[in-house]
Amino acid sequence: MADNTQKDPKDWVSGDDPMTGAQESYLKTLAEQAHQDLAEQELTKAEASELIDKMRQKAGLEE
């Protein structure tokens, strides 16, 4: 059976909205843990979600 509990961020209705404050804060924390510089960017919610996933992998937090 296919897992449909997670939707691709590109398919989110609000994916083009600006990232939330929570996403921005979490990205900063992940960047510190991954020893990466996080340039100030204006990301959408979908872009922020995808970057969070990548940063989690770099920080060794991937489930």
Side-chain angles (χ1 to χ4, degrees):
M1 177 178 247
D3 179 13
N4 65 353
T5 59
Q6 292 188 353
K7 205 181 227 187
D8 187 327
K10 292 179 183 94
D11 295 332
W12 293 355
V13 173
S14 63
D16 289 333
D17 290 352
M19 76 174 145
T20 66
Q23 284 178 310
E24 183 176 12
S25 176
Y26 190 42
L27 278 171
K28 288 178 182 178
T29 299
L30 288 172
E32 290 174 8
Q33 292 175 346
H35 306 289
Q36 299 284 316
D37 284 330
L38 185 63
E40 291 293 320
Q41 303 176 51
E42 296 294 324
L43 300 174
T44 65
K45 285 182 181 179
E47 291 168 335
S49 179
E50 291 172 346
L51 186 54
I52 285 170
D53 289 343
K54 289 177 187 175
M55 295 297 286
R56 285 179 53 83
Q57 287 179 326
K58 286 184 180 181
L61 299 173
E62 194 59 33
E63 297 174 2

